[in-house]
Amino acid sequence: MKANCSSPGETGETGSPHPPGPQSPLHQRHLDLGSGLGRSSSWTCCSSTSQIMEKSPLQTIGEEQTQNPYTELLVLKAHHDIVRFLVQLDDYRFASAGDDGIVVVWNAQTGEKLLELNGHTQKITAIITFPSLESREEKNQLILTASADRTVIVWDSDTGRQVQRISCFQSTVKCLTVLQRLDVWLSGGNDLCVWNRKLDLLCKTSHLSDTGISALVEIPKNCVVAAVGKELIIFRLVAPTEGSLEWDILEIKHLLDHQDNILSLINVNDLSFVTGSHIGELIIWDALDWTMQAYERNFWDPSPQLDTQQEIKLCQKSNDISIHHFTCDEENVFAAVGRGLYVYNLHMKRVIACQKTAHDSSVLHIAKLPNRQLISCSEDGSVRIWELREKQQLAAEPVPTGFFNMWGFGRVNKQASQPVKKQQENATSCSLELIGDLIGHSSSVEMFLYFEDHGLVTCSADHLIILWKNGERESGLRSLRLFQKLEENGDLYLAV
């Protein structure tokens, strides 16, 4: 393990909205790109312009992007393989990790590389943060990284010191999660392990499956949900009591409703969680009694002219209906389904907005911003900003029935459905409007982080990290620094 520091100039460069590469180096430290950044570009990672035009449903945006604040970019270079993970450490720092096994800590304000953490011999498969036991009041974060080398390493994010290396795993750890209520953290692979802040193994399950745990979330009653292939397993953690001084983990229930591997799992709130599968099954679950609240897998709206064989062939395109990622707020669940984005309102129990072709390839990550905006990134190398706008739903334009058309148990009779239909016709619906297109990566964008004060951070299969800056804000800061410098020089001149 080593921790190296370097100046901003060694790791961060700014550039034009064209893909960085050997023939288009990015030289300048700061460059205001104006409203042209993110314009609809003629290049893509895998497709020519003519190929994109053939897929005409993809929405495009012109040069004038007045609502897109990210008009400057800063390219950060430190990795030499796919960068898959970003995790926020505090208000100004984040860490990146990927297939080169390296963890890099960055300053989100300046783009400076603060630390480089070397210790894993294979690709990193999961990363989380956990407040240090010794300095909880100072909010010093530990970084926990799991790797295909079957180890978990705990790092001090301030010094880069390797706090501890855990090498007792029999398989690759695919996911890590922290349970705040019990003050422990969990690792999931072919078994489930529970650890305390001192990094002691408290308890573990027996071998679950060769598939392994792909995702974990915490739910009430000291329980967790583990996604294992096609099924969900509910575990309950039992803390020590007067009668028993040891921790225990109990296998409570198996939920077998998915027909294919579960790709995404998140908490909606304390009352429900949601799962999505490879073949487009979306299920909302009750987090208290673990029953199904809603089920949907009708992601296509086939034309009546299609015969049965065509419909079957259409539905076999699982990449177009795979649910890769979820995010949510207090009102909505946002789903990345194939190349599209869908907004499901929890109160109205229906989809209120969708973009069936939001990107040219599968959407890998989405996030909701505080100002009714949504950001998405894709395998096509693009990052797009959407705004959720309200519109009056007309009776002649009912809510699309080809997606999330039934959110409830079974079918209702025609008479009972009339009030619901009338209510939907008069209800307010929304639209997802494209307001920004960020062009900078030359390969699949794996995920991103949003910093309210310092911009947007994206990582990609092109080995690069890009820090997208608010051009107006950065211009103001540079003007302020220049004014301060001139004022200082003026004071010095008067003093002489």
Side-chain angles (χ1 to χ4, degrees):
M1 187 276 292
K2 68 176 182 178
N4 297 328
C5 298
S6 61
S7 65
E10 295 177 79
T11 57
E13 304 174 9
T14 57
S16 69
H18 297 289
Q23 297 181 358
S24 58
L26 306 172
H27 296 298
Q28 299 181 10
R29 177 64 184 162
H30 289 288
L31 176 63
D32 190 345
L33 302 173
S35 61
L37 179 63
R39 68 191 64 177
S40 182
S41 176
S42 61
W43 67 270
T44 61
C45 175
C46 304
S47 303
S48 67
T49 305
S50 60
Q51 289 174 319
I52 293 179
M53 292 303 293
E54 292 174 1
K55 302 175 182 178
S56 56
L58 180 66
Q59 187 175 348
T60 59
I61 188 169
E63 294 186 5
E64 293 300 325
Q65 298 185 35
T66 57
Q67 298 180 73
N68 175 13
Y70 303 112
T71 56
E72 293 185 18
L73 59 80
L74 193 64
V75 177
L76 312 182
K77 301 179 180 179
H79 293 276
H80 53 267
D81 209 332
I82 300 174
V83 187
R84 298 188 186 272
F85 303 102
L86 299 170
V87 62
Q88 186 170 346
L89 302 178
D90 49 40
D91 291 340
Y92 73 96
R93 292 184 307 159
F94 69 95
S96 60
D99 288 5
D100 56 11
I102 300 172
V103 181
V104 182
V105 179
W106 305 89
N107 184 312
Q109 181 179 15
T110 64
E112 178 185 2
K113 184 175 75 170
L114 303 176
L115 299 168
E116 182 176 310
L117 314 180
N118 292 274
H120 288 295
T121 59
Q122 296 186 41
K123 68 178 182 179
I124 291 174
T125 54
I127 180 171
I128 59 170
T129 61
F130 199 24
S132 172
L133 179 65
E134 290 78 12
S135 56
R136 292 180 66 181
E137 295 182 358
E138 299 177 5
K139 297 182 179 180
N140 178 33
Q141 296 286 330
L142 296 176
I143 302 174
L144 280 67
T145 55
S147 170
D149 61 14
R150 297 187 179 183
T151 65
V152 169
I153 298 180
V154 183
W155 313 85
D156 186 308
S157 66
D158 287 345
T159 64
R161 180 176 62 91
Q162 189 176 128
V163 178
Q164 188 167 337
R165 183 187 186 95
I166 306 172
S167 306
C168 60
F169 300 100
Q170 301 300 313
S171 64
T172 299
V173 173
K174 298 180 179 179
C175 54
L176 300 166
T177 191
V178 174
L179 304 188
Q180 299 289 356
R181 297 172 182 172
L182 297 176
D183 204 28
V184 297
W185 61 277
L186 279 64
S187 61
N190 287 355
D191 47 25
L192 180 62
C193 302
V194 182
W195 309 81
N196 64 12
R197 283 182 174 273
K198 297 180 180 179
L199 310 179
D200 300 320
L201 178 61
L202 303 177
C203 57
K204 63 180 293 188
T205 65
S206 58
H207 182 88
L208 294 172
S209 76
D210 292 333
T211 304
I213 300 173
S214 59
L216 284 167
V217 296
E218 180 181 9
I219 57 175
K221 302 179 181 179
N222 293 343
C223 292
V224 294
V225 183
V228 184
K230 301 177 183 179
E231 66 178 324
L232 297 170
I233 305 178
I234 308 296
F235 294 98
R236 176 172 285 126
L237 275 65
V238 181
T241 60
E242 294 181 359
S244 174
L245 299 179
E246 296 183 352
W247 285 77
D248 197 7
I249 183 167
L250 306 176
E251 195 171 307
I252 302 299
K253 190 172 183 178
H254 286 240
L255 305 177
L256 307 173
D257 297 270
H258 278 289
Q259 302 301 310
D260 205 344
N261 289 339
I262 299 168
L263 301 182
S264 47
L265 165 65
I266 65 161
N267 276 321
V268 176
N269 47 46
D270 288 337
L271 300 177
S272 58
F273 62 95
V274 60
T275 54
S277 77
H278 180 65
I279 60 172
E281 304 163 297
L282 186 146
I283 302 179
I284 294 183
W285 305 88
D286 189 298
L288 300 177
D289 60 16
W290 317 311
T291 57
M292 188 189 303
Q293 292 182 337
Y295 175 89
E296 177 62 49
R297 64 166 296 182
N298 186 17
F299 293 98
W300 290 96
D301 186 15
S303 170
Q305 286 77 21
L306 291 176
D307 58 30
T308 304
Q309 293 299 323
Q310 287 175 312
E311 289 186 24
I312 293 175
K313 183 178 180 180
L314 188 64
C315 291
Q316 287 176 341
K317 297 180 180 179
S318 56
N319 287 338
D320 287 334
I321 57 176
S322 295
I323 304 176
H324 291 102
H325 193 243
F326 288 120
T327 190
C328 61
D329 57 19
E330 295 179 356
E331 299 179 355
N332 305 302
V333 173
F334 304 87
V337 184
R339 295 180 291 157
L341 302 173
Y342 295 82
V343 183
Y344 169 68
N345 186 273
L346 296 168
H347 303 296
M348 291 186 280
K349 302 295 183 183
R350 65 182 180 91
V351 164
I352 60 172
C354 70
Q355 277 286 346
K356 293 185 178 181
T357 314
H359 289 263
D360 194 50
S361 299
S362 295
V363 181
L364 300 182
H365 193 83
I366 54 177
K368 175 69 169 56
L369 303 189
N371 51 0
R372 293 183 64 83
Q373 291 183 355
L374 186 71
I375 298 182
S376 59
C377 65
S378 168
E379 289 178 345
D380 63 13
S382 64
V383 181
R384 315 194 94 184
I385 309 173
W386 309 85
E387 185 175 76
L388 188 62
R389 297 175 180 172
E390 292 187 357
K391 66 178 183 180
Q392 188 65 35
Q393 182 67 38
L394 302 176
E397 300 177 5
V399 176
T401 59
F403 187 87
F404 296 127
N405 57 325
M406 289 296 295
W407 287 88
F409 299 98
R411 299 192 178 191
V412 294
N413 59 50
K414 184 175 181 181
Q415 183 178 359
S417 65
Q418 292 302 317
V420 177
K421 182 178 179 180
K422 184 176 181 181
Q423 181 181 1
Q424 287 185 350
E425 289 177 351
N426 296 328
T428 300
S429 186
C430 298
S431 63
L432 279 173
E433 300 296 331
L434 179 62
I435 62 172
D437 199 356
L438 307 184
I439 305 297
H441 287 291
S442 60
S443 190
S444 173
V445 180
E446 301 295 314
M447 69 169 295
F448 52 82
L449 285 178
Y450 171 72
F451 285 86
E452 184 174 359
D453 295 328
H454 306 306
L456 184 72
V457 184
T458 57
C459 65
S460 171
D462 62 11
H463 312 174
L464 300 177
I465 297 166
I466 294 182
L467 179 56
W468 305 86
K469 290 288 191 176
N470 183 315
E472 184 177 348
R473 183 177 185 273
E474 294 301 308
S475 178
L477 291 174
R478 286 194 294 272
S479 298
L480 179 61
R481 287 193 293 267
L482 178 60
F483 178 79
Q484 292 173 342
K485 188 67 176 177
L486 292 174
E487 189 176 32
E488 291 174 2
N489 293 338
D491 292 341
L492 291 173
Y493 177 79
L494 291 176
V496 174

